[in-house]
Amino acid sequence: MSAAASLPRLIALGETMVMITPAHAESLATADDLRLHVGGAESNVASHTAALGIPSAWVSAVGDDVLGERVRRVIAGRGVDVRWVGVDPDAPTGVYFKDPGRGVLYYRRGSAASRMSPQSIVDVPLEDAAVVHVSGITSALSPTCAAMMDAVVERVASADALLSFDVNHRAALWQPGAAAPALLALARRADVVFVGLDEAHTVWGCDTPADVRELLPEPALLVVKDGDVGATESSRTDDGEATTFVPAIATDVVEPVGAGDAFAAGYLAALLRGADAAGRLAAGHERAHLVLLSTSDFVIEPPTVKGWSQP
């Protein structure tokens, strides 16, 4: 296979950590049985798009430790290209704990991924991808990560690749007042933006998808997700602005974590196959639906929604 033929169509960049969670729905304070998984927004997207037949890569850094080995092995086992995942001998792999009913406990300060910088992506062929996917989480990890995000944006802007940006607001990662302007600046420089209506309200005070579009007129494609209601795409066309809404699939939710990443992956895979707005949103809902039915962030069953086509 030639080097060009082996390049990924989608590159996702961001931290993935080891996730420790009780084996049953009980508090960490009383749980005796725990399970180890891996979790990260960007690697979730790459895992889903790879499962959907889109050659995908995940770019990050892990520690030179057994947990880093586990993270790389798990993501690679999903069919994701991990050749650009660095190993930092001087920093650990991040860890977080799920405490059912009480939230999440993060132990990521000083992690290998938080030490990434513009130098970390020098050899990554961002310009050769069709889509480069990032999220607002990465900019909040450290000043060097924020500088790396700026470098990603600048490189993609000068290429034919699309920059996909999921706002992914994590309040605990930001200093008070810092998130809103930083996330807005990144979103305005992206080609495709995903944001939940709830987080758009929290961060920017938006109440409707139209409010979000007024705030973000720059992206060619803006997707506003409204939980179990549905998702709205606003897009620029030759005839002006087009708006498409597709309702969510009725679901008995088992676990919501990871559904947003699955939606983005389904949407982007459909976009890369040339689906129309309704088809893109439907594919996103279908992938999210499968994750909502599971305790896992990743599932392998393909979407079957109308208009979806497998390779």
Side-chain angles (χ1 to χ4, degrees):
M1 181 180 295
S2 69
S6 67
L7 290 175
R9 295 195 69 203
L10 181 140
I11 296 176
L13 187 151
E15 182 172 31
T16 289
M17 298 177 287
V18 168
M19 176 177 67
I20 302 172
T21 182
H24 309 288
E26 58 181 312
S27 169
L28 284 170
T30 57
D32 292 320
D33 297 325
L34 301 173
R35 293 178 178 172
L36 267 67
H37 304 279
V38 301
E42 299 83 6
S43 64
N44 282 344
V45 171
S47 296
H48 284 288
T49 53
L52 294 169
I54 304 296
S56 302
W58 166 58
V59 177
S60 190
V62 295
D64 188 11
D65 49 40
V66 67
L67 297 181
E69 293 175 9
R70 185 183 184 111
V71 168
R72 292 181 86 252
R73 184 181 72 250
V74 169
I75 302 303
R78 298 173 179 176
V80 176
D81 189 337
V82 298
R83 74 181 105 167
W84 296 290
V85 176
V87 177
D88 189 331
D90 300 316
T93 303
V95 177
Y96 70 104
F97 292 78
K98 273 189 177 181
D99 193 7
R102 295 168 179 80
V104 177
L105 304 172
Y106 289 103
Y107 295 87
R108 72 197 311 172
R109 187 183 301 275
S111 69
S114 74
R115 288 156 54 101
M116 289 191 294
S117 71
Q119 185 63 30
S120 304
I121 60 167
V122 167
D123 295 327
V124 181
L126 300 175
E127 294 86 353
D128 296 316
V131 173
V132 175
H133 180 77
V134 294
S135 87
I137 295 171
T138 304
S139 285
L141 296 181
S142 68
T144 61
C145 281
M148 179 183 66
M149 285 284 281
D150 284 337
V152 169
V153 172
E154 290 173 4
R155 285 180 55 186
V156 175
S158 65
D160 292 332
L162 296 176
L163 180 66
S164 169
F165 177 67
D166 193 332
V167 171
N168 259 335
H169 175 239
R170 299 289 185 271
L173 294 176
W174 294 94
Q175 293 297 318
L183 294 172
L184 184 60
L186 285 167
R188 285 176 168 168
R189 298 167 73 187
D191 301 296
V192 184
V193 173
F194 299 95
V195 63
L197 186 57
D198 55 348
E199 64 183 340
H201 176 77
T202 297
V203 179
W204 300 318
C206 298
D207 294 319
T208 66
D211 292 342
V212 184
R213 189 51 161 173
E214 183 176 357
L215 184 69
L216 287 172
E218 297 89 353
L221 296 169
L222 171 65
V223 180
V224 180
K225 302 167 292 177
D226 189 8
D228 60 2
V229 176
T232 301
E233 179 197 278
S234 297
S235 60
R236 293 200 306 267
T237 70
D238 293 339
D239 299 323
E241 186 82 2
T243 301
T244 304
F245 171 80
V246 173
I249 300 169
T251 306
D252 291 326
V253 177
V254 174
E255 169 63 62
V257 175
D261 305 327
F263 181 98
Y267 179 97
L268 291 172
L271 174 66
L272 289 173
R273 292 206 171 95
D276 63 11
R280 295 191 290 265
L281 293 171
H285 283 315
E286 180 69 14
R287 199 69 186 175
H289 169 71
L290 294 174
V291 168
L292 290 168
L293 292 173
S294 168
T295 57
S296 174
D297 291 354
F298 174 70
V299 291
I300 61 173
E301 294 84 355
T304 56
V305 295
K306 183 178 179 181
W308 178 263
S309 61
Q310 286 294 305

